[in-house]
Amino acid sequence: MSKQRLHRNVVIIGSGPAGLTAAIYSARANLKPLLIDAPVDAEKQTAPGGQLMITTEVENYPGFAEGIQGPEMMAEFRRQAERFGTEFIEAWIEKVELRERPFILHTREYVIQTETLIIASGASAKWLGIPGEAKVPDGLGGNGVSACATCDGPLPAFRNKPLVVVGGGDTAMEEATFLTRYASRVFVVHRRDKLRASKIMQDKAFRNPKLEFIWDTAIEEILGTPEDGVTGIRLRNLKTAAKRIFACSGVFIAIGHKPNTDLFKGQIETDQVGYIKTSGRSTATNIPGVFASGDVQDSIYRQAVTAAGTGCMAALDAERFLDHLPVMMPSGEEVTREGEHITADQEAIITPDGHMIPNKTEYAAPGE
Ligand SMILES: Cc1cc2nc3c(=O)[nH]c(=O)nc-3n(C[C@H](O)[C@H](O)[C@H](O)COP(=O)(O)OP(=O)(O)OC[C@H]3O[C@@H](n4cnc5c(N)ncnc54)[C@H](O)[C@@H]3O)c2cc1C
């Protein structure tokens, strides 16, 4: 079967808060964006709408004083993007060609050319893969099991209760320390007898009187019921093989995140973990015309509101680029659609054929 061919000015990958905000802005700017997002996939825990589709209450997104369910919030984002004419395709992007413009994206049924690309493919929390961890109704995910303490820690279900954090790196220490504000006590379960976290994070954790460590131990199962949520975990000591049940009311998995960037490997600049590098002062990547927003380029904040904020930035950057205006690159230089480079010190313009000209306009006073 031959594939259908499309050509667009703006294509967005991902319909989480970043992708949908980019869609709202670029649709309102009349750029007729096409948004492509992966279909529901239970194994990969993806659904159109992104990570918030697998959570319940969102209490920290401004504008919802009483909180809102994650899927409901993403339905609102989508309705707003649709209202201004965003076009949607539900498909996995399987291959991208970013060496020259127009960029080319391949799905099973389409070959899509685009003048600008906004990557908002998010990141995925790593899970242990143990019984009880899957999302409700298959497990207790969203009902006492979480991968985000900032998001879920303050929820009433976790207040003044014993909680467990799994992991031994900086993220785990940060999550555990944060949770001590709400929990009666926080227990860090770690497979080894020492932490991977940086010294400063370890010192802070060891000094915290509400934090306790359970060393050389793995969680085998998360226990509970749909009515009561999490009631405990089954632990196994990796040195003695002894097993025991440990009572707790919540489990926070903090063994890391993986940015969804395998698709772009070898074509776009990332950090060591795989997060896409952006300029810092714009969402430009090292490829002129390709922008990145949301968790895919943010290893630090990873929140819906920051994802939406950078989604807005990416749409405005793409609009600038299409309007032939310079966009700031990660290197500090600015680049236009025509391939002109303005040096980072703003002193010179390098033309597409390699000539350097001073970046100065000399004004002659009237009458001179
Ligand atoms: C359980 C949980 C609870 C959370 N609770 C909160 C909260 O209360 N408040 C808060 O602010 N934040 C919360 N977060 C964090 C928040 O969800 C993320 O920061 C936010 O969703 C990031 O948005 P994004 O648009 O960058 O990416 P995502 O939401 O991750 O969306 C990316 C989308 O891109 C799609 N995609 C990836 N690769 C491809 C491909 N090759 N082809 C097509 N599509 C692709 C994915 O399927 C996904 O739908 C929570 C996260 C989790 C996991």
Side-chain angles (χ1 to χ4, degrees), residues 37-97:
D37 198 27
V40 175
D41 185 324
E43 200 180 308
K44 292 186 183 151
Q45 292 213 350
T46 63
Q51 293 173 64
L52 287 179
M53 299 302 284
I54 60 162
T55 192
T56 48
E57 186 87 1
V58 177
E59 286 190 324
N60 54 7
Y61 198 88
F64 300 98
E66 303 303 323
I68 182 167
Q69 296 290 305
E72 205 183 312
M73 183 164 114
M74 294 323 297
E76 286 295 328
F77 268 63
R78 189 178 174 110
R79 263 199 293 278
Q80 197 171 350
E82 277 168 351
R83 183 178 148 214
F84 297 109
T86 304
E87 183 187 356
F88 289 87
I89 290 181
E90 208 172 286
W92 282 103
I93 299 197
E94 294 169 345
K95 189 177 149 199
V96 296
E97 297 174 52

Side-chain angles (χ1 to χ4, degrees), residues 121-165:
S121 52
S124 310
K126 291 186 190 162
W127 298 94
L128 296 167
I130 55 172
E133 187 190 40
K135 189 185 172 250
V136 170
D138 301 321
L140 295 155
N143 186 15
V145 180
S146 169
C148 180
T150 316
C151 316
D152 296 333
L155 294 176
F158 297 124
R159 299 230 170 194
N160 300 314
K161 303 273 174 55
L163 303 178
V164 163
V165 171

Side-chain angles (χ1 to χ4, degrees), residues 320-337:
R320 256 185 98 79
F321 189 79
L322 289 167
D323 280 346
H324 309 275
L325 294 169
V327 172
M328 173 82 77
M329 305 298 288
S331 59
E333 39 172 22
E334 292 178 40
V335 175
T336 66
R337 189 175 177 180

Side-chain angles (χ1 to χ4, degrees), residues 5 44-45 94 106 109 117 121 124 127 132 170 194 198 215 226 235 250 259-260 283 286 294 298 310 315 331 336:
R5 291 182 170 267
K44 292 186 183 151
Q45 292 213 350
E94 294 169 345
H106 299 260
E109 290 174 16
L117 176 65
S121 52
S124 310
W127 298 94
D170 276 352
K194 50 174 107 57
S198 58
W215 302 107
L235 296 175
N260 299 323
T283 57
N286 64 311
D298 173 12
T310 52
S331 59
T336 66

